[in-house]
Amino acid sequence: MERTNKSVGANMRILGIIGGYACLCLSFLIVFEIFSREFFNWSLQGVDEIGGYVVAITGTFGMALAAVERGHTRIDVLLLRLSKRAQTTLNLLAYVALAVGAAFMAYMAWRTLSDSLLFGSVASSPLQTPLWIPQSLWFAGLVVFALAALTSALRGLWALQLGLDETDKFLAPASIEKEIEDAKR
């Protein structure tokens, strides 16, 4: 199980790095657009459209990475005051709810994509992008997100058989001490 966790985490980090570079390239493109408009009165046309695609696609894969690395925001003011069993139960329910929500988003994305394919939809912008292209990547990101959340919930269920402390390694948000330790590296 530990080997699988490391493999999934490594693959998700690779996707995160690719997404980071995509956002960096988008930043350079936006800066170029700003300067070309200001100094040369010329525009690339469609940078805002490309930006929307990049943010939507990288966001979905980023949510998957956060699910695998237990990085989704949680309000743990009350959680930490509960018993270990209650904390584990709520953490497990949180991942199940995350998986259900992500699966629903993926389903709705599939419906959007299938409509775009059926009607041959293109963006109403100067780029006239066939919408199936960015929507396919967006859908793929949502599927990966749903699978990552489901995998995390299943890992938590598996670890529950080994005890509550073991389950925390898979489901509980990182402690302040752990975050400080990771930041020092």
Side-chain angles (χ1 to χ4, degrees):
M1 187 66 163
E2 192 64 33
R3 189 178 323 140
T4 303
N5 290 338
K6 287 181 181 180
S7 174
V8 168
N11 289 331
M12 293 309 300
R13 279 189 282 290
I14 289 169
L15 288 174
I17 290 169
I18 291 169
Y21 279 116
C23 290
L24 182 64
C25 290
L26 175 63
S27 298
F28 287 131
L29 190 61
I30 291 170
V31 168
F32 178 78
E33 174 76 5
I34 291 168
F35 279 108
S36 68
R37 281 185 182 188
E38 182 67 29
F39 296 114
F40 303 109
N41 201 25
W42 178 79
S43 175
L44 288 172
Q45 301 294 313
V47 172
D48 55 338
E49 180 182 350
I50 293 168
Y53 299 148
V54 168
V55 169
I57 294 164
T58 59
T60 58
F61 285 103
M63 289 186 291
L65 176 62
V68 168
E69 294 191 347
R70 303 176 299 150
H72 282 280
T73 302
R74 299 181 213 186
I75 302 171
D76 57 0
V77 172
L78 295 177
L79 186 68
L80 297 176
R81 299 187 192 313
L82 298 174
S83 69
K84 192 67 131 171
R85 183 173 302 281
Q87 287 180 27
T88 300
T89 302
L90 289 174
N91 283 326
L92 186 57
L93 285 174
Y95 271 101
V96 169
L98 191 64
V100 168
F104 177 74
M105 288 189 293
Y107 168 72
M108 296 306 291
W110 170 251
R111 288 185 53 183
T112 302
L113 173 60
S114 64
D115 284 349
S116 294
L117 289 168
L118 179 66
F119 297 114
S121 301
V122 296
S124 60
S125 68
L127 294 180
Q128 297 279 304
T129 307
L131 289 177
W132 69 267
I133 297 170
Q135 288 173 354
S136 296
L137 295 170
W138 175 59
F139 170 68
L142 287 169
V143 168
V144 169
F145 175 36
L147 291 173
L150 179 62
T151 301
S152 296
L154 292 174
R155 286 185 312 182
L157 276 174
W158 175 81
L160 192 57
Q161 297 174 6
L162 303 175
L164 296 177
D165 290 333
E166 191 67 26
T167 307
D168 278 354
K169 294 178 184 176
F170 297 102
L171 297 178
S175 66
I176 298 294
E177 294 80 19
K178 173 84 168 97
E179 288 184 20
I180 291 171
E181 181 184 311
D182 288 348
K184 288 180 180 179
R185 284 193 247 162

